[in-house]
Amino acid sequence: PSDNTGPENAHSGQVYAYTEASGANPGDSAELFSPIFDLSALSQPQLSFYYHMYGDNMGILNVDFFDGTTWNEAVWSVSGGQQTSSNEAWIQSVISVPNNVIRIKFRAIRGFDHTSDMAIDDISIQDATSINQLTNITGIYPNPTTGQFVIKSHDLSNAEIYVYTLIGKEIYHNIIDRNDFIVNLKNVTKGVYLIKITDDNKSFISKLIVK
């Protein structure tokens, strides 16, 4: 990446995909296509990836789905700078994928100048029901909630909690450091969200309704 934009390192390993904004024009797009695949055997397909968008004139990153006939564009989309430095942590996004989708496209749209290098890494599709389940979570209440709720758990060691919108944008992240952990989602709009709790390579996923 150019100076003052893009990540300093990959999320993991040594290799990642990024767009080079230098030499391009505002509004130019770059596309990365997945192979064609069959998700019909999966109960709850999920797309997971990490992204980095550091730059003063960052553009737009989209995810598009193809069902064999039509491209459904911008099923997930984020615009503008999401990090404030090249070494700031990558952000994970988790998106539910319909079973009829046979191809995925990452589509990046350049911002106003060269400080619009965006990157993605560690892309995977898996069945949510096959994820190694975390069984230490005993309750999430109240659910529905007005924004504040409690995670009840036991014997967690390195647990982290993430809250995502249904299009996969992370809106909350924290370390769970007690059995009755209070989460307060400030200024969140009404709707349905996804809670993901991870601990030692195991995961717990649940829906959260904010009323």
Side-chain angles (χ1 to χ4, degrees), residues 134-205:
L134 179 64
T135 59
N136 306 59
I137 308 301
T138 58
I140 299 176
Y141 69 91
N143 188 12
T145 176
T146 56
Q148 181 170 295
F149 58 95
V150 177
I151 305 290
K152 289 189 68 69
S153 62
H154 62 88
D155 300 327
L156 296 176
S157 57
N158 299 294
E160 297 180 71
I161 176 174
Y162 303 84
V163 180
Y164 301 97
T165 67
L166 288 183
I167 62 170
K169 182 175 176 59
E170 180 186 307
I171 62 168
Y172 179 86
H173 172 226
N174 213 335
I175 306 295
I176 297 179
D177 58 3
R178 60 184 68 91
N179 288 341
D180 291 335
F181 185 79
I182 298 174
V183 176
N184 189 5
L185 301 178
K186 297 180 179 179
N187 302 319
V188 66
T189 58
K190 297 178 181 179
V192 180
Y193 297 83
L194 291 177
I195 297 172
K196 181 179 181 182
I197 300 172
T198 62
D199 187 47
D200 288 339
N201 297 317
K202 295 184 178 181
S203 297
F204 172 90
I205 297 175

Side-chain angles (χ1 to χ4, degrees), residues 18-195:
Y18 80 98
T19 60
E20 178 53 69
S22 298
N25 297 312
D28 282 354
S29 63
E31 299 175 337
L32 178 65
F33 289 83
S34 75
I36 293 175
F37 45 69
D38 182 1
L39 302 179
S40 60
L42 302 185
S43 298
Q44 298 179 36
Q46 286 185 339
L47 169 67
S48 172
F49 63 95
Y50 289 80
Y51 64 96
H52 200 286
M53 298 174 68
Y54 161 58
D56 288 341
N57 289 286
M58 185 55 58
I60 305 170
L61 179 61
N62 299 292
V63 175
D64 305 334
F65 289 166
F66 183 59
D67 62 8
T69 302
T70 304
W71 278 102
N72 186 6
E73 295 191 335
V75 295
W76 178 94
S77 183
V78 63
S79 62
Q82 303 300 306
Q83 281 87 357
T84 57
S85 68
S86 61
N87 59 7
E88 187 172 331
W90 291 64
I91 301 172
Q92 185 185 23
S93 183
V94 180
I95 310 172
S96 295
V97 183
N99 292 79
N100 65 337
V101 169
I102 66 168
R103 204 171 196 188
I104 289 171
K105 175 175 62 180
F106 290 89
R107 180 166 48 90
I109 301 174
R110 184 190 188 271
F112 292 113
D113 66 16
H114 77 281
T115 57
S116 185
D117 292 355
M118 57 193 84
I120 53 177
D121 199 2
D122 290 336
I123 305 165
S124 65
I125 295 179
Q126 58 187 343
D127 194 339
T129 60
S130 67
I131 297 173
N132 197 6
Q133 295 294 314
L134 179 64
T135 59
N136 306 59
I137 308 301
T138 58
I140 299 176
Y141 69 91
N143 188 12
T145 176
T146 56
Q148 181 170 295
F149 58 95
V150 177
I151 305 290
K152 289 189 68 69
S153 62
H154 62 88
D155 300 327
L156 296 176
S157 57
N158 299 294
E160 297 180 71
I161 176 174
Y162 303 84
V163 180
Y164 301 97
T165 67
L166 288 183
I167 62 170
K169 182 175 176 59
E170 180 186 307
I171 62 168
Y172 179 86
H173 172 226
N174 213 335
I175 306 295
I176 297 179
D177 58 3
R178 60 184 68 91
N179 288 341
D180 291 335
F181 185 79
I182 298 174
V183 176
N184 189 5
L185 301 178
K186 297 180 179 179
N187 302 319
V188 66
T189 58
K190 297 178 181 179
V192 180
Y193 297 83
L194 291 177
I195 297 172

